Protein backbone atom coordinates (compact mmCIF):
# COMPACT_ATOMS: atom_id res chain seq x y z
CA UNK A 1 0.00 0.00 0.00
CA UNK A 2 1.25 3.35 -0.99
CA UNK A 3 -0.25 5.20 1.97
CA UNK A 4 -2.22 3.83 4.77
CA UNK A 5 -5.45 5.49 5.75
CA UNK A 6 -4.51 6.73 9.19
CA UNK A 7 -7.76 7.28 11.12
CA UNK A 8 -7.68 10.24 13.49
CA UNK A 9 -11.29 9.66 14.43
CA UNK A 10 -12.49 13.21 15.22
CA UNK A 11 -15.77 13.12 17.12
CA UNK A 12 -18.88 15.12 16.43
CA UNK A 13 -20.50 13.62 19.51
CA UNK A 14 -18.90 13.35 22.90
CA UNK A 15 -20.74 10.22 23.91
CA UNK A 16 -20.01 7.96 20.96
CA UNK A 17 -18.57 7.50 17.49
CA UNK A 18 -20.81 6.54 14.63
CA UNK A 19 -20.35 3.89 11.96
CA UNK A 20 -21.39 4.19 8.32
CA UNK A 21 -20.50 2.41 5.09
CA UNK A 22 -17.51 4.61 4.32
CA UNK A 23 -15.92 5.45 7.65
CA UNK A 24 -15.24 3.51 10.81
CA UNK A 25 -15.62 5.31 14.10
CA UNK A 26 -15.09 3.47 17.36
CA UNK A 27 -17.87 3.67 19.95
CA UNK A 28 -15.82 5.59 22.47
CA UNK A 29 -18.10 6.34 25.40
CA UNK A 30 -17.26 9.56 27.19
CA UNK A 31 -18.83 10.49 30.48
CA UNK A 32 -20.44 13.67 29.19
CA UNK A 33 -24.05 13.78 28.08
CA UNK A 34 -23.68 16.94 25.99
CA UNK A 35 -23.89 16.90 22.21
CA UNK A 36 -21.63 19.52 20.64
CA UNK A 37 -20.91 20.49 17.03
CA UNK A 38 -17.49 19.70 15.65
CA UNK A 39 -15.73 23.05 15.77
CA UNK A 40 -12.51 21.84 14.11
CA UNK A 41 -8.99 22.10 15.40
CA UNK A 42 -7.96 24.94 17.66
CA UNK A 43 -4.27 24.12 17.57
CA UNK A 44 -3.27 27.72 16.80
CA UNK A 45 -5.40 29.39 19.47
CA UNK A 46 -3.57 31.27 22.21
CA UNK A 47 -6.31 30.99 24.84
CA UNK A 48 -8.16 27.87 25.82
CA UNK A 49 -11.64 27.86 24.25
CA UNK A 50 -14.52 28.07 26.67
CA UNK A 51 -16.54 24.99 27.45
CA UNK A 52 -19.94 24.70 29.12
CA UNK A 53 -19.72 24.79 32.89
CA UNK A 54 -19.67 21.25 34.22
CA UNK A 55 -20.61 20.22 37.72
CA UNK A 56 -18.28 17.43 38.80
CA UNK A 57 -17.92 15.48 42.00
CA UNK A 58 -14.12 15.71 41.97
CA UNK A 59 -11.25 17.53 40.33
CA UNK A 60 -10.37 14.40 38.35
CA UNK A 61 -13.89 14.07 37.02
CA UNK A 62 -13.95 17.73 36.04
CA UNK A 63 -10.61 17.46 34.22
CA UNK A 64 -11.83 14.36 32.41
CA UNK A 65 -15.07 15.97 31.29
CA UNK A 66 -13.49 19.24 30.14
CA UNK A 67 -10.79 17.27 28.30
CA UNK A 68 -13.52 15.24 26.64
CA UNK A 69 -15.27 18.38 25.43
CA UNK A 70 -12.03 19.67 23.90
CA UNK A 71 -11.39 16.28 22.32
CA UNK A 72 -14.85 16.12 20.77
CA UNK A 73 -14.36 19.60 19.26
CA UNK A 74 -11.01 18.69 17.73
CA UNK A 75 -9.16 20.97 20.17
CA UNK A 76 -6.51 18.34 20.74
CA UNK A 77 -3.77 20.48 22.29
CA UNK A 78 -6.14 21.62 25.03
CA UNK A 79 -7.45 18.07 25.44
CA UNK A 80 -3.86 16.90 25.99
CA UNK A 81 -3.32 19.51 28.70
CA UNK A 82 -6.47 18.49 30.57
CA UNK A 83 -5.83 14.76 30.34
CA UNK A 84 -2.22 15.21 31.44
CA UNK A 85 -3.44 17.18 34.47
CA UNK A 86 -5.92 14.40 35.14
CA UNK A 87 -3.09 11.83 35.29
CA UNK A 88 -1.11 14.14 37.59
CA UNK A 89 -4.09 14.74 39.90
CA UNK A 90 -4.97 11.05 40.27
CA UNK A 91 -8.40 9.77 41.15
CA UNK A 92 -10.67 6.83 40.42
CA UNK A 93 -8.81 4.18 38.42
CA UNK A 94 -11.36 3.83 35.63
CA UNK A 95 -11.43 7.59 35.03
CA UNK A 96 -7.64 7.71 34.95
CA UNK A 97 -7.48 4.76 32.55
CA UNK A 98 -10.01 6.21 30.14
CA UNK A 99 -8.32 9.59 30.40
CA UNK A 100 -5.00 8.01 29.41
CA UNK A 101 -6.67 6.41 26.40
CA UNK A 102 -8.08 9.75 25.25
CA UNK A 103 -4.76 11.45 25.93
CA UNK A 104 -3.12 8.97 23.56
CA UNK A 105 -5.84 9.56 20.95
CA UNK A 106 -5.30 13.31 21.19
CA UNK A 107 -1.55 12.88 20.77
CA UNK A 108 -2.15 10.74 17.69
CA UNK A 109 -4.32 13.49 16.21
CA UNK A 110 -1.43 15.91 16.78
CA UNK A 111 1.04 13.55 15.09
CA UNK A 112 2.95 12.85 18.32
CA UNK A 113 3.11 9.12 17.69
CA UNK A 114 5.97 8.12 19.98
CA UNK A 115 4.39 9.69 23.05
CA UNK A 116 0.98 8.31 22.06
CA UNK A 117 2.46 4.81 21.78
CA UNK A 118 3.95 5.10 25.27
CA UNK A 119 0.56 5.97 26.78
CA UNK A 120 -1.26 3.26 24.83
CA UNK A 121 1.28 0.65 25.90
CA UNK A 122 0.92 1.69 29.54
CA UNK A 123 -2.86 1.78 29.20
CA UNK A 124 -2.91 -1.84 27.95
CA UNK A 125 -0.47 -3.04 30.60
CA UNK A 126 -2.30 -1.43 33.53
CA UNK A 127 -5.84 -2.11 32.31
CA UNK A 128 -5.93 -5.52 30.58
CA UNK A 129 -9.70 -5.81 31.02
CA UNK A 130 -10.65 -2.29 29.99
CA UNK A 131 -13.24 -2.09 27.20
CA UNK A 132 -10.83 -0.01 25.08
CA UNK A 133 -7.88 -2.42 25.25
CA UNK A 134 -8.52 -3.95 21.84
CA UNK A 135 -8.95 -0.53 20.27
CA UNK A 136 -5.64 0.50 21.83
CA UNK A 137 -3.99 -2.58 20.27
CA UNK A 138 -5.38 -1.58 16.89
CA UNK A 139 -4.15 1.98 17.30
CA UNK A 140 -0.65 0.79 18.26
CA UNK A 141 -0.59 -1.34 15.13
CA UNK A 142 -1.71 1.58 12.99
CA UNK A 143 0.90 3.90 14.49
CA UNK A 144 3.61 1.29 13.89
CA UNK A 145 2.58 1.01 10.25
CA UNK A 146 2.53 4.78 9.92
CA UNK A 147 6.08 5.03 11.28
CA UNK A 148 7.45 2.05 9.32
CA UNK A 149 7.79 -0.46 12.18
CA UNK A 150 6.19 -3.37 10.34
CA UNK A 151 7.11 -6.03 12.90
CA UNK A 152 5.41 -4.19 15.75
CA UNK A 153 2.48 -3.42 13.48
CA UNK A 154 2.02 -7.09 12.65
CA UNK A 155 2.16 -8.07 16.32
CA UNK A 156 -0.46 -5.57 17.48
CA UNK A 157 -2.78 -6.10 14.53
CA UNK A 158 -2.62 -9.88 14.89
CA UNK A 159 -3.64 -9.53 18.55
CA UNK A 160 -6.53 -7.32 17.51
CA UNK A 161 -7.61 -9.69 14.73
CA UNK A 162 -7.57 -12.77 16.95
CA UNK A 163 -9.51 -11.05 19.73
CA UNK A 164 -12.07 -9.39 17.43
CA UNK A 165 -12.97 -11.71 14.52
CA UNK A 166 -16.07 -9.67 13.64
CA UNK A 167 -15.03 -6.11 14.51
CA UNK A 168 -15.78 -3.38 11.91
CA UNK A 169 -12.15 -2.28 12.08
CA UNK A 170 -11.15 -5.51 10.37
CA UNK A 171 -11.89 -3.56 7.20
CA UNK A 172 -8.53 -1.90 7.90
CA UNK A 173 -6.76 -4.54 9.98
CA UNK A 174 -6.81 -7.33 7.38
CA UNK A 175 -5.37 -5.35 4.44
CA UNK A 176 -2.84 -3.71 6.75
CA UNK A 177 -1.63 -7.17 7.80
CA UNK A 178 -1.64 -8.37 4.22
CA UNK A 179 0.54 -5.45 3.20
CA UNK A 180 3.01 -6.25 5.99
CA UNK A 181 3.18 -9.88 4.88
CA UNK A 182 3.79 -8.79 1.28
CA UNK A 183 6.66 -6.53 2.36
CA UNK A 184 8.13 -9.39 4.38
CA UNK A 185 7.98 -11.67 1.33
CA UNK A 186 5.36 -13.98 2.86
CA UNK A 187 3.40 -14.26 -0.35
CA UNK A 188 1.05 -17.13 0.56
CA UNK A 189 -0.06 -15.40 3.75
CA UNK A 190 -0.39 -12.04 1.99
CA UNK A 191 -2.50 -13.55 -0.77
CA UNK A 192 -4.89 -15.20 1.69
CA UNK A 193 -5.28 -11.99 3.69
CA UNK A 194 -5.93 -9.83 0.62
CA UNK A 195 -8.49 -12.38 -0.59
CA UNK A 196 -10.12 -12.44 2.85
CA UNK A 197 -10.29 -8.66 2.87
CA UNK A 198 -12.04 -8.59 -0.51
CA UNK A 199 -14.41 -11.38 0.51
CA UNK A 200 -15.48 -9.60 3.71
CA UNK A 201 -15.36 -6.00 2.48
CA UNK A 202 -15.69 -5.96 -1.35
CA UNK A 203 -16.83 -2.32 -1.30
CA UNK A 204 -14.76 -1.28 1.72
CA UNK A 205 -12.55 1.79 2.07
CA UNK A 206 -9.43 -0.29 1.39
CA UNK A 207 -10.94 -2.67 -1.18
CA UNK A 208 -8.90 -1.23 -4.04
CA UNK A 209 -5.77 -1.29 -1.88
CA UNK A 210 -6.43 -5.00 -1.42
CA UNK A 211 -6.95 -5.45 -5.16
CA UNK A 212 -3.63 -3.87 -6.09
CA UNK A 213 -1.91 -5.71 -3.25
CA UNK A 214 -3.33 -9.01 -4.50
CA UNK A 215 -2.25 -8.14 -8.05
CA UNK A 216 1.32 -7.58 -6.85
CA UNK A 217 1.31 -10.91 -5.04
CA UNK A 218 0.05 -12.67 -8.15
CA UNK A 219 2.71 -10.96 -10.24
CA UNK A 220 5.41 -12.18 -7.88
CA UNK A 221 4.02 -15.74 -7.97
CA UNK A 222 4.13 -15.81 -11.78
CA UNK A 223 0.35 -15.48 -12.18
CA UNK A 224 0.74 -12.47 -14.45
CA UNK A 225 -2.50 -12.94 -16.39
CA UNK A 226 -4.54 -12.87 -13.19
CA UNK A 227 -2.50 -9.92 -11.90
CA UNK A 228 -3.16 -8.05 -15.15
CA UNK A 229 -6.89 -8.63 -14.71
CA UNK A 230 -6.82 -6.79 -11.37
CA UNK A 231 -4.68 -3.95 -12.77
CA UNK A 232 -7.06 -3.50 -15.69
CA UNK A 233 -9.98 -3.50 -13.29
CA UNK A 234 -8.37 -0.69 -11.30
CA UNK A 235 -7.62 1.56 -14.28
CA UNK A 236 -11.38 1.61 -14.92
CA UNK A 237 -12.06 2.70 -11.33
CA UNK A 238 -11.01 6.38 -11.42
CA UNK A 239 -11.97 6.95 -7.78
CA UNK A 240 -9.73 4.16 -6.52
CA UNK A 241 -6.56 6.25 -6.34
CA UNK A 242 -4.69 3.34 -7.92
CA UNK A 243 -5.07 4.10 -11.61
CA UNK A 244 -1.53 5.49 -11.95
CA UNK A 245 0.07 2.51 -10.19
CA UNK A 246 -1.90 0.07 -12.32
CA UNK A 247 -0.95 1.76 -15.61
CA UNK A 248 2.72 1.63 -14.61
CA UNK A 249 2.52 -2.03 -13.60
CA UNK A 250 0.79 -2.99 -16.84
CA UNK A 251 3.42 -1.11 -18.83
CA UNK A 252 6.22 -2.96 -17.04
CA UNK A 253 4.46 -6.28 -17.46
CA UNK A 254 4.15 -5.88 -21.24
CA UNK A 255 7.76 -4.65 -21.45
CA UNK A 256 8.94 -7.89 -19.85
CA UNK A 257 6.92 -9.80 -22.43
CA UNK A 258 8.52 -7.67 -25.18
CA UNK A 259 5.04 -6.45 -26.14
CA UNK A 260 6.33 -2.94 -26.63
CA UNK A 261 3.31 -1.43 -28.37
CA UNK A 262 1.01 -2.42 -25.51
CA UNK A 263 3.57 -1.23 -22.97
CA UNK A 264 3.78 2.15 -24.71
CA UNK A 265 -0.01 2.39 -24.71
CA UNK A 266 -0.30 2.01 -20.93
CA UNK A 267 2.72 4.19 -20.14
CA UNK A 268 1.50 6.90 -22.51
CA UNK A 269 -1.90 6.84 -20.82
CA UNK A 270 -0.06 7.47 -17.57
CA UNK A 271 1.78 10.48 -19.03
CA UNK A 272 -1.40 12.00 -20.41
CA UNK A 273 -3.20 11.74 -17.05
CA UNK A 274 -0.53 11.87 -14.34
CA UNK A 275 2.38 13.98 -15.59
CA UNK A 276 2.92 15.42 -12.09
CA UNK A 277 2.60 12.12 -10.26
CA UNK A 278 5.71 10.90 -8.40
CA UNK A 279 5.62 7.72 -10.48
CA UNK A 280 6.40 9.71 -13.64
CA UNK A 281 10.12 8.94 -13.15
CA UNK A 282 9.83 5.15 -13.51
CA UNK A 283 7.35 5.67 -16.35
CA UNK A 284 9.97 7.71 -18.25
CA UNK A 285 12.56 5.07 -17.38
CA UNK A 286 10.50 2.30 -18.98
CA UNK A 287 9.59 4.38 -22.01
CA UNK A 288 13.30 5.00 -22.48
CA UNK A 289 14.04 1.30 -22.14
CA UNK A 290 11.47 0.51 -24.83
CA UNK A 291 13.15 2.96 -27.22
CA UNK A 292 16.56 1.50 -26.39
CA UNK A 293 15.41 -2.08 -27.01
CA UNK A 294 13.83 -0.91 -30.28
CA UNK A 295 17.14 0.58 -31.42
CA UNK A 296 16.05 4.20 -31.11
CA UNK A 297 18.93 5.32 -28.91
CA UNK A 298 18.37 9.05 -29.36
CA UNK A 299 14.72 8.58 -28.36
CA UNK A 300 15.85 6.64 -25.29
CA UNK A 301 18.31 9.42 -24.44
CA UNK A 302 15.51 11.97 -24.55
CA UNK A 303 13.31 10.04 -22.09
CA UNK A 304 16.18 9.52 -19.65
CA UNK A 305 17.14 13.20 -19.77
CA UNK A 306 13.55 14.30 -19.15
CA UNK A 307 13.37 11.91 -16.21
CA UNK A 308 16.53 13.37 -14.70
CA UNK A 309 15.22 16.93 -15.08
CA UNK A 310 12.14 16.03 -13.03
CA UNK A 311 14.23 15.55 -9.88
CA UNK A 312 13.73 11.84 -9.14
CA UNK A 313 14.68 10.13 -5.89
CA UNK A 314 18.32 8.94 -5.59
CA UNK A 315 17.67 5.34 -6.64
CA UNK A 316 15.66 6.34 -9.71
CA UNK A 317 18.17 9.05 -10.55
CA UNK A 318 20.99 6.50 -10.65
CA UNK A 319 18.95 4.13 -12.82
CA UNK A 320 18.06 6.88 -15.29
CA UNK A 321 21.64 8.11 -15.51
CA UNK A 322 22.98 4.59 -16.00
CA UNK A 323 20.61 3.97 -18.90
CA UNK A 324 21.42 7.41 -20.29
CA UNK A 325 25.07 6.36 -20.33
CA UNK A 326 24.26 3.26 -22.36
CA UNK A 327 22.18 5.29 -24.82
CA UNK A 328 24.95 7.85 -25.33
CA UNK A 329 27.57 5.15 -25.81
CA UNK A 330 25.41 3.49 -28.45
CA UNK A 331 25.47 6.81 -30.32
CA UNK A 332 29.29 6.99 -29.98
CA UNK A 333 28.98 10.01 -27.68
CA UNK A 334 31.70 8.63 -25.43
CA UNK A 335 32.83 11.79 -23.58
CA UNK A 336 29.23 12.51 -22.53
CA UNK A 337 28.67 8.85 -21.67
CA UNK A 338 31.75 8.75 -19.45
CA UNK A 339 30.77 12.00 -17.74
CA UNK A 340 27.41 10.54 -16.73
CA UNK A 341 28.98 7.21 -15.85
CA UNK A 342 31.34 8.93 -13.42
CA UNK A 343 28.30 10.41 -11.69
CA UNK A 344 26.72 6.96 -11.52
CA UNK A 345 29.88 5.64 -9.89
CA UNK A 346 29.84 8.46 -7.33
CA UNK A 347 26.13 8.02 -6.62
CA UNK A 348 26.37 4.24 -6.33
CA UNK A 349 29.00 4.03 -3.59
CA UNK A 350 26.40 2.74 -1.12
CA UNK A 351 24.36 0.71 -3.58
CA UNK A 352 24.72 -2.34 -5.82
CA UNK A 353 25.07 -0.27 -9.00
CA UNK A 354 28.82 0.22 -8.64
CA UNK A 355 29.99 -3.08 -10.13
CA UNK A 356 27.82 -2.78 -13.24
CA UNK A 357 28.86 0.82 -13.78
CA UNK A 358 32.54 -0.09 -13.42
CA UNK A 359 32.21 -2.89 -15.97
CA UNK A 360 30.40 -0.59 -18.37
CA UNK A 361 33.17 2.00 -17.99
CA UNK A 362 35.83 -0.58 -18.84
CA UNK A 363 33.88 -1.79 -21.86
CA UNK A 364 33.41 1.74 -23.17
CA UNK A 365 37.15 2.37 -22.87
CA UNK A 366 38.07 -0.98 -24.42
CA UNK A 367 35.76 -1.18 -27.39
CA UNK A 368 33.79 2.04 -27.86
CA UNK A 369 30.15 1.12 -28.59
CA UNK A 370 30.55 -2.66 -28.40
CA UNK A 371 29.48 -3.24 -24.80
CA UNK A 372 27.51 -5.95 -23.13
CA UNK A 373 23.80 -5.29 -23.67
CA UNK A 374 22.85 -7.49 -20.72
CA UNK A 375 24.20 -4.89 -18.31
CA UNK A 376 20.90 -3.29 -17.48
CA UNK A 377 18.50 -3.29 -14.59
CA UNK A 378 15.13 -4.43 -15.90
CA UNK A 379 13.99 -4.99 -12.33
CA UNK A 380 15.10 -1.58 -11.09
CA UNK A 381 11.54 -0.54 -10.28
Amino acid sequence: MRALIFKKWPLSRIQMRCFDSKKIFLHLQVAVAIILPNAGSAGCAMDEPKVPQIVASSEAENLFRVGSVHYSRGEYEFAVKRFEKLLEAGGENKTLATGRFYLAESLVALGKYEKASQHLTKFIKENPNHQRVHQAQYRLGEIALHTGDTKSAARHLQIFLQANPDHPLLEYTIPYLADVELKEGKLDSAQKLFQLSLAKFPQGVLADESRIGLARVLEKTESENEAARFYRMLIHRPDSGRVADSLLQLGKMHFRRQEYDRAIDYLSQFRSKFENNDLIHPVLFWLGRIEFESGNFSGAEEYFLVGLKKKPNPKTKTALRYELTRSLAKQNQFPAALMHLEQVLRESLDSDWGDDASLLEIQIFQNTSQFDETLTRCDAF
Side-chain angles (χ1 to χ4, degrees):
M1 291 179 193
R2 184 199 314 151
L4 297 165
I5 298 178
F6 194 73
K7 308 300 288 184
K8 292 187 177 179
W9 300 335
L11 289 180
S12 59
R13 288 175 176 264
I14 292 179
Q15 283 189 300
M16 59 181 288
R17 299 181 185 273
C18 62
F19 167 74
D20 61 35
S21 61
K22 292 186 178 179
K23 294 183 179 179
I24 299 289
F25 293 134
L26 294 182
H27 294 274
L28 301 173
Q29 296 176 348
V30 184
V32 184
I34 304 170
I35 299 176
L36 295 171
N38 191 337
S41 174
C44 296
M46 298 299 294
D47 299 318
E48 183 171 347
K50 294 181 179 180
V51 300
Q53 187 172 357
I54 298 171
V55 178
S57 58
S58 67
E59 180 187 3
E61 185 179 347
N62 182 65
L63 288 167
F64 176 81
R65 290 182 174 181
V66 173
S68 299
V69 171
H70 286 311
Y71 178 83
S72 72
R73 290 175 168 179
E75 299 161 354
Y76 300 117
E77 290 187 2
F78 296 109
V80 166
K81 291 178 182 179
R82 292 296 180 171
F83 289 130
E84 285 180 339
K85 286 183 179 180
L86 167 64
L87 297 181
E88 293 171 4
E92 195 266 324
N93 287 339
K94 186 175 181 180
T95 302
L96 290 177
T98 307
R100 188 181 295 281
F101 178 81
Y102 279 104
L103 171 59
E105 288 287 279
S106 301
L107 290 166
V108 168
L110 293 170
K112 299 179 180 180
Y113 303 129
E114 183 176 356
K115 196 170 182 181
S117 293
Q118 292 171 358
H119 282 290
L120 287 169
T121 301
K122 189 169 184 179
F123 168 78
I124 292 169
K125 182 178 180 180
E126 294 180 351
N127 308 278
N129 299 317
H130 196 284
Q131 61 181 342
R132 305 295 172 219
V133 162
H134 298 312
Q135 295 163 8
Q137 287 285 3
Y138 171 84
R139 181 63 92 190
L140 279 171
E142 195 176 35
I143 290 172
L145 275 178
H146 198 69
T147 56
D149 187 354
T150 54
K151 290 186 178 180
S152 294
R155 183 175 71 255
H156 292 299
L157 293 174
Q158 283 285 5
I159 292 172
F160 179 85
L161 176 60
Q162 292 170 6
N164 303 274
D166 299 311
H167 199 286
L169 279 173
L170 293 186
E171 181 177 354
Y172 300 90
T173 305
I174 296 171
Y176 283 177
L177 278 171
D179 192 55
V180 170
E181 296 293 86
L182 176 56
K183 289 176 180 175
E184 295 291 323
K186 300 176 182 178
L187 300 182
D188 288 343
S189 176
Q191 182 171 344
K192 290 176 182 177
L193 285 165
F194 282 129
Q195 289 171 334
L196 176 62
S197 174
L198 289 170
K200 291 178 74 70
F201 307 101
Q203 304 301 323
V205 175
L206 293 181
D208 285 334
E209 296 294 319
S210 293
R211 289 186 180 97
I212 199 163
L214 181 56
R216 285 172 174 160
V217 171
L218 292 167
E219 203 173 351
K220 289 177 179 292
T221 55
E222 299 183 357
S223 300
E224 280 200 346
N225 289 336
E226 188 65 10
R229 184 176 71 84
F230 279 101
Y231 289 136
R232 286 194 295 270
M233 182 190 307
L234 286 166
I235 66 175
H236 295 297
R237 296 171 65 91
D239 295 332
S240 72
R242 286 301 190 176
V243 176
D245 307 71
S246 299
L247 287 169
L248 172 58
Q249 293 303 119
L250 285 165
K252 290 167 56 178
M253 189 179 295
H254 287 292
F255 174 88
R256 289 194 296 267
R257 295 176 178 178
Q258 298 184 349
E259 297 169 353
Y260 297 140
D261 288 343
R262 296 194 69 183
I264 289 172
D265 178 51
Y266 286 117
L267 296 173
S268 297
Q269 285 186 56
F270 182 106
R271 288 198 75 187
S272 67
K273 298 176 180 178
F274 304 103
E275 184 67 28
N276 297 319
N277 189 291
D278 287 343
L279 293 175
I280 190 63
H281 306 107
V283 166
L284 292 166
F285 173 90
W286 290 106
L287 284 167
R289 285 299 321 283
I290 291 169
E291 295 300 320
F292 187 96
E293 296 300 324
S294 302
N296 182 6
F297 306 121
S298 62
E301 175 191 350
E302 183 178 347
Y303 278 119
F304 298 136
L305 283 171
V306 171
L308 287 169
K309 289 177 181 177
K310 287 183 175 289
K311 299 180 180 180
N313 63 45
K315 178 180 177 181
T316 310
K317 182 179 179 181
T318 301
L320 286 162
R321 197 178 296 283
Y322 180 83
E323 293 298 334
L324 174 60
T325 299
R326 298 175 70 234
S327 302
L328 291 167
K330 274 293 189 180
Q331 299 174 77
N332 298 324
Q333 298 181 37
F334 300 116
L338 289 170
M339 179 189 72
H340 285 287
L341 191 57
E342 287 174 2
Q343 292 188 58
V344 172
L345 289 165
R346 286 197 298 270
E347 294 166 358
S348 61
L349 291 176
D350 298 322
S351 72
D352 58 354
W353 282 90
D355 291 343
D356 283 4
S358 297
L359 286 172
L360 181 55
E361 183 179 38
I362 292 169
Q363 290 171 357
I364 290 174
F365 273 120
Q366 286 180 338
N367 198 15
T368 62
S369 63
Q370 302 301 313
F371 56 87
D372 186 354
E373 301 215 15
T374 64
L375 288 176
T376 186
R377 291 299 179 89
C378 292
D379 60 345
F381 303 104

